[in-house]
Amino acid sequence: MTEFVAELIGTMILIIFGGGVVGGVVLKNTKAEGAGWVVITIAWGLAVTMGVYAVGSFTGAHINPAVTLGFAAIGEFPWSKVPLYISAQMIGAIIGGAIVFLNYLPHWSKTKDKGAKLAVFATDPAVRSPFSNLLSEIIGTFVLLMGLLFIGANDFTEGLNPLIVGLLIVAIGMSLGGATGYAINPARDLGPRIAHFLLPIPGKGGSDWGYSWIPVVGPIIGGVYGALFYRAIFMQDFSAGFWIFSIIMVVIIVGAVQAELKKASKEDLDQEQAV
C-alpha cells in the first residue's frame, strides 16, 4: 500500500466512525438519537484508534494535517512529503463524509434542523466568538500534539499505542471539546464540510463557510506550536519557530480575552439600560 492510499484510508475510517456517531446522535429516528456528548467523544476516540490500527504500519497514521505539519516543524517528518499526506487526508475525509451520508439516507429528510445535518459533517461553536473559538481549537490541538509526543516517548506493550492515542482524543473531547466541537484536525472538518456542500442532502442549508477557517487555522497553529513547545521545553531546543509561534499565541490570547471582556461589558450595559 502506498503512503498516499494509507493516509486516505486512515482518514476515511476516522470520518466514517466519527461522523457516523454524530449522525446517529443528532439525526431523527435513528437508534442512537439523543445518546449525547459522552457517546460522541468515546466514538471519536475509537475512530482515531481504528484509523491508526488500519494504517499505522504504513505511514504512522497521521490522518490529520495538524499532526503532519507539527511533526515536520520539529524535523520528525520530511517537508517533501507534507503535500502528499495532506492531499490524501483531505480526499479521505471527503469520501468518509460521503459514506456517512449514504449510511443515513432515510434520516436526512426526517431531520428538519439544518444545523444538526451540518453537525454530522463539520464542527460549529457553542458560542460564536471568532477569537475565542480560534483559541479553543489551538488549545485542543496543542494538547493533542503534546500528548502524541508524550506517548511516543514512552514504551507500551506492542500494539497498545493506538488505543492510548484514542483515549487521548476522548480526554480532549470530554475536557476541551465543549466550546467548538473540537475539530483539532483541518481535514476532519474541511473535508466533510466540502462533502456537505456537494452532496444532495434534503433541506441541508448552508455549509457555514464563514466559520470554516477556524477549524483549519486553529489546529494548524496549535499543532505546530504544540510540537515546537514540546521540543523546546522537554528537549531544550528553543528554535526561532518556537519564539515566533509564542508571539502569535500571545497576540491571539490577548485578543480573545479583550474581545470577551468587551462583549461582557456591553452585555452588562445593555442589561442596565433595559432596567
Side-chain angles (χ1 to χ4, degrees):
M1 185 186 296
T2 67
E3 292 178 326
F4 181 88
V5 173
E7 281 296 304
L8 186 154
I9 290 175
T11 312
M12 180 186 72
I13 290 171
L14 168 69
I15 300 304
I16 289 173
F17 284 119
V21 70
V22 178
V25 170
V26 306
L27 296 178
K28 291 297 181 183
N29 300 115
T30 73
K31 297 288 187 179
E33 183 181 354
W37 185 249
V38 172
V39 169
I40 289 174
T41 55
I42 292 173
W44 269 107
L46 292 173
V48 171
T49 297
M50 292 301 105
V52 175
Y53 271 127
V55 302
S57 61
F58 296 96
T59 64
H62 292 189
I63 60 177
N64 182 344
V67 173
T68 300
L69 290 168
F71 285 174
I74 59 173
E76 296 289 333
F77 185 74
W79 281 103
S80 61
K81 290 186 178 182
V82 168
L84 176 78
Y85 271 52
I86 292 179
S87 59
Q89 292 156 1
M90 285 298 304
I91 294 170
I94 294 171
I95 295 172
I99 292 173
V100 172
F101 162 70
L102 294 173
N103 186 71
Y104 289 107
L105 273 178
H107 300 274
W108 302 107
S109 60
K110 294 183 179 297
T111 304
K112 304 308 177 184
D113 185 345
K114 296 177 181 178
K117 294 176 186 179
L118 178 58
V120 177
F121 298 90
T123 62
D124 70 310
V127 176
R128 191 167 294 250
S129 185
F131 256 123
S132 295
N133 300 152
L134 180 67
L135 181 58
S136 179
E137 285 293 334
I138 290 172
I139 291 171
T141 320
F142 175 91
V143 172
L144 170 63
L145 263 291
M146 290 280 285
L148 291 176
L149 291 165
F150 292 155
I151 292 167
N154 289 274
D155 293 325
F156 293 94
T157 303
E158 185 177 356
L160 189 60
N161 281 52
L163 183 59
I164 302 302
V165 172
L167 290 173
L168 171 63
I169 300 299
V170 174
I172 291 171
M174 288 185 174
S175 301
L176 303 172
T180 61
Y182 73 119
I184 61 173
N185 180 341
R188 170 266 175 273
D189 190 276
L190 184 57
R193 195 183 296 270
I194 292 171
H196 175 272
F197 175 75
L198 295 174
L199 290 168
I201 303 169
K204 64 180 178 180
S207 300
D208 196 8
W209 293 110
Y211 179 78
S212 65
W213 67 274
I214 289 175
V216 172
V217 175
I220 289 173
I221 295 174
V224 172
Y225 188 54
L228 291 170
F229 187 90
Y230 177 89
R231 179 60 64 92
I233 302 304
F234 288 85
M235 303 181 71
Q236 298 298 293
D237 181 6
F238 291 87
S239 64
F242 167 76
W243 295 114
I244 291 170
F245 272 82
S246 294
I247 293 170
I248 292 172
M249 283 303 305
V250 169
V251 171
I252 293 173
I253 291 169
V254 170
V257 172
Q258 287 183 339
E260 294 306 320
L261 289 175
K262 183 177 180 181
K263 187 187 300 182
S265 297
K266 184 178 184 304
E267 289 174 353
D268 289 343
L269 181 61
D270 289 343
Q271 290 178 354
E272 290 175 3
Q273 291 177 342
V275 174

